[in-house]
Amino acid sequence: MLPLRHKLGSSPANGHSAFLPHIRKLVVEYCDAWPSSHNTRTFLLNHAQSLAAANPHVELVVRQRPFKEPILRAFYVNNRDKVIGLNGLEVTQIQKKAQLLLDSSGAKIKPLKKPVESSTLAARGIFSNLHATRPSL
């Protein structure tokens, strides 16, 4: 039997044959006593297990946060985190916020400083009925 050789190739990266998710941990923090955490507790009882099963690459952590408002916190591979407050949100809205964090890359939001303008004219130009020639009879 031949000895195993080191596999030639590159390290895995997002692209054609591989996908590495950006999120690594999702933390749900809530209070047992406050009524503002009621919908968060309902979400955890009814939907947390299916969320964890659908995203096995994400560590799902549930933590009590006594006497504070509920939050959803995501930690990403690029050492950034995002926090969303869950106070006043319905269960379906909490699901949407969790999915938003799961789909996000964790990159910092960069605002556009200048409006986008083209340096050349459009290939087809500007069309208007006012500029068209009138047909002759």
Side-chain angles (χ1 to χ4, degrees):
M1 186 169 168
L2 296 172
L4 296 175
R5 294 185 178 200
H6 187 273
K7 182 180 173 183
L8 296 175
S10 61
S11 62
N14 289 338
H16 176 68
S17 63
F19 177 72
L20 299 174
H22 297 286
I23 187 169
R24 61 182 174 87
K25 184 191 286 190
L26 187 67
V27 180
V28 182
E29 298 181 6
Y30 70 99
C31 177
D32 256 345
W34 282 14
S36 62
S37 293
H38 174 71
N39 289 336
T40 306
R41 290 190 300 267
T42 305
F43 168 75
L44 290 173
L45 288 173
N46 298 334
H47 303 286
Q49 190 172 7
S50 61
L51 181 71
N55 300 291
H57 58 278
V58 178
E59 178 184 357
L60 182 65
V61 178
V62 177
R63 229 176 84 180
Q64 285 193 4
R65 191 172 180 221
F67 308 111
K68 298 198 179 190
E69 301 297 336
I71 61 169
L72 194 60
R73 184 177 306 213
F75 294 94
Y76 295 95
V77 177
N78 59 358
N79 292 329
R80 293 188 54 87
D81 65 332
K82 289 187 178 181
V83 179
I84 296 179
L86 302 177
N87 188 18
L89 296 181
E90 295 296 325
V91 176
T92 55
Q93 292 173 323
I94 294 173
Q95 284 178 315
K96 288 179 183 177
K97 294 297 183 184
Q99 193 61 45
L100 176 81
L101 290 176
L102 287 169
D103 295 339
S104 178
S105 68
K108 189 173 183 179
I109 297 174
K110 299 174 187 171
L112 294 174
K113 296 184 180 179
K114 301 178 196 173
V116 178
E117 294 180 9
S118 177
S119 60
T120 60
L121 295 174
R124 301 180 86 184
I126 299 172
F127 176 77
S128 172
N129 285 334
L130 298 174
H131 298 115
T133 57
R134 292 186 176 199
S136 61
L137 296 176

